[in-house]
Amino acid sequence: MLNDLWYKNAIIYCLSVGTFLDANGDGVGDFQGLMRRLDYLQGLGVTTIWLMPFQPSPGRDNGYDISDYYNVDPKYGTLGDFAEFTHACGERGLRVIIDLVVNHTSDEHPWFKSARSDPGSKYRDWYVWSDRKPSKVDDGVVFPGVQKSTWTFDKHARRWYFHRFYEFQPDLDTANPYVHAELLKIMGFWIQLGVSGFRMDAVPFVIAAKGAKVRGHVEQYTMLRAFREFLQWREGNVIVLGEANVLPDTDFEYFGDAGERLPMMFNFQLNQNTFYTLATGDTKPLKKALLATKPRPATAQWGVFLRNHDELDLGRLTPEAREAVFAAFAPEPDMQLYGRGIRRRLAPMLSGDRRRLELAYSLMLTLPGTPVIRYGDEIGMGDDLRRPERESTRTPMQWSAEPHGGFTKHPKPPVPAISGGAYGFQRVNVANQRRDPDSFLNWTERVIRMRREMPEISWGDFEALRTSRNDVLALRYDWRNSSVLCVHNFGAKTCTVKFHSGCNGPGDERLINVLSDDHSQAGGDGRHTVVLEPYGYRWYRVGGLDYLLRRAEI
Ligand code: NOJ
């Protein structure tokens, strides 16, 4: 078992070093720049930084094509800078998790170069080959419309190699014991440099049986336990946050019945249904997703999120539900991607409507799990649809109204900041919002602080309450004799909602609003009647002052 469950009540903030802050003026963000912004992140209230890949890479998939697992890409700094960075985080009580991209390497990795050019190479079997053309080379492509196949003929090896993603990302044969040992070594290396965990890329593919003869998708779940055991032996607090967009009926396979496999996974079910509910106001599918993903081992935790660096993947919704989300948030074909997703940032999807942005973030912060925030969302950054594929949402952080949003002093950075219009750095930036007490940034900081004071959400059990309206979601969390209750109105109109808190202890008829003075007293029938403004939300503690006394008992 892990000896510290820190990830249960964390606030994770994800960023790319290359687009955060450029300190040396070469146009690319770097560790020196990031270190200058650690106080900003600490002030925002985040507790954990998740770094996207920063290792040497040809950069053909935003760094998810690594050519050296034991180094820092020189454009971001050096290993020395990395060690300084984890030290500086530690000084501030911030933890660091990093991407672990081991399903595949870059085709420029020395292992693959050796494997493809030399039949006697010890790396030959580290990859997945076929002498003959496999029967279904187009099956299982991840990026339809851009990626053509999952097998490509290599003229050097004169064989076919398997690649779940793009052809420049050959899959490692993760079942090969030498590859397995190397994966552990990679984890051990970064642990020595101070990381507290790994966001494991593409977990279902990492653990899949691979090869031309394999039929269907066969997962080797025991691998997850082996990773976990190794981490525990090395350092009892290190976690793996799995990227696994899987159906709820396999959640326990990934977590392990007793929580002995992945300590954390992203909750893609909740994510997709959250967007459906934001689009339509219908809370039924969201409640269904909440209940379907409710069972999990006591030590396991969900990572809950709104947007990430990829497309908003709606592939698990019904076709009708997906169309409803497209119609609301991505009506133009150019806003959609791979036939299943949306390549926009949150703020433009919600037309920059502050009420809806608050609703979305308030919901995300109060869903069961640990919130994962994407850099720039705290100021409502936009996207640049002129950039290809998923690059649209990967523009530089907007710090100020200075040229390039204060991101770099370079006159022509390779990835320009968004300029002009409603989301340009001239209007949307940290400096402006810092000075404005009513800004989205200051709102976000305040709700993050409040969320951290609500461990009930992270640790407790929840119940979706019956309310008098389908467009209002009310969740109550109970933990150690203490309860909080969060209500969200997805409708565009003011509404009156009635519900019973489900708590019947002394004083429990009172709900204390933790964000304003607007408290609620249950009526004679024991029910609360709350008037919610359009897209309004409330965070309550159940039981007024009594709560303090009860907490003192624990
Ligand atoms: C998932 C990552 O989130 C995505 O950005 C990447 O393209 C694929 N895995 C391949 O590594």
Side-chain angles (χ1 to χ4, degrees), residues 382 398 417-429:
Q398 297 172 192
I418 295 176
S419 179
Y423 300 98
F425 65 79
Q426 297 87 344
R427 288 176 76 161
V428 176
N429 65 62

Side-chain angles (χ1 to χ4, degrees), residues 441-501:
L441 176 64
N442 281 317
W443 177 85
T444 309
E445 183 185 318
R446 194 160 73 98
V447 288
I448 288 178
R449 172 172 355 125
M450 194 48 76
R451 171 63 179 78
R452 287 177 62 182
E453 291 178 25
M454 291 179 151
E456 293 85 349
I457 298 176
S458 293
W459 286 89
D461 214 352
F462 73 88
E463 192 181 328
L465 304 180
R466 285 169 69 125
T467 70
S468 57
R469 300 184 61 94
N470 178 39
D471 53 2
V472 175
L473 179 75
L475 295 177
R476 194 196 67 241
Y477 291 89
D478 308 309
W479 184 62
R480 292 191 172 170
N481 213 12
S482 159
S483 301
V484 296
L485 201 158
C486 303
V487 188
H488 290 91
N489 173 20
F490 294 90
K493 297 210 174 82
T494 300
C495 74
T496 303
V497 65
K498 289 178 184 289
F499 56 88
H500 198 294
S501 76

Side-chain angles (χ1 to χ4, degrees), residues 61 64 101 104 143 165-166 169 199 201-202 243 309-310 390 394:
D61 182 14
Y64 284 90
V101 189
H104 48 268
F143 305 121
F165 298 96
Y166 297 109
Q169 292 164 314
R199 176 264 189 197
D201 191 57
E243 186 219 11
H309 62 290
D310 289 327
R390 292 165 290 160
R394 298 169 177 172

Side-chain angles (χ1 to χ4, degrees), residues 215-233:
R215 291 278 157 264
H217 191 71
V218 186
E219 290 103 335
Q220 306 159 96
Y221 294 112
T222 48
M223 273 187 197
L224 297 176
R225 186 189 169 114
F227 294 151
R228 173 70 171 273
E229 277 174 356
F230 171 80
L231 293 176
Q232 303 261 187
W233 292 328

Side-chain angles (χ1 to χ4, degrees), residues 243-257:
E243 186 219 11
N245 182 353
V246 293
L247 290 172
D249 56 7
T250 55
D251 286 348
F252 269 84
E253 303 282 11
Y254 282 86
F255 285 135
D257 285 341

Side-chain angles (χ1 to χ4, degrees), residues 289-367:
L290 277 162
L291 293 180
T293 56
K294 184 172 171 161
R296 60 183 143 96
T299 54
Q301 179 69 318
W302 287 117
V304 287
F305 63 105
L306 288 168
R307 291 292 289 112
N308 62 19
H309 62 290
D310 289 327
E311 81 285 6
L312 165 62
D313 186 345
L314 304 168
R316 301 257 182 227
L317 296 181
T318 62
E320 299 74 39
R322 190 163 45 248
E323 282 313 314
V325 184
F326 279 154
F329 298 142
E332 306 295 331
D334 187 38
M335 298 169 171
Q336 302 172 12
L337 195 60
Y338 311 137
R340 60 164 184 250
I342 297 180
R343 58 186 208 108
R344 303 183 80 191
R345 277 247 191 194
L346 185 69
M349 282 168 66
L350 300 177
S351 313
D353 185 333
R354 172 72 181 260
R355 301 167 307 170
R356 300 185 84 185
L357 279 167
E358 285 191 19
L359 174 76
Y361 255 95
S362 165
L363 176 74
M364 192 270 261
L365 285 165
T366 57
L367 285 173

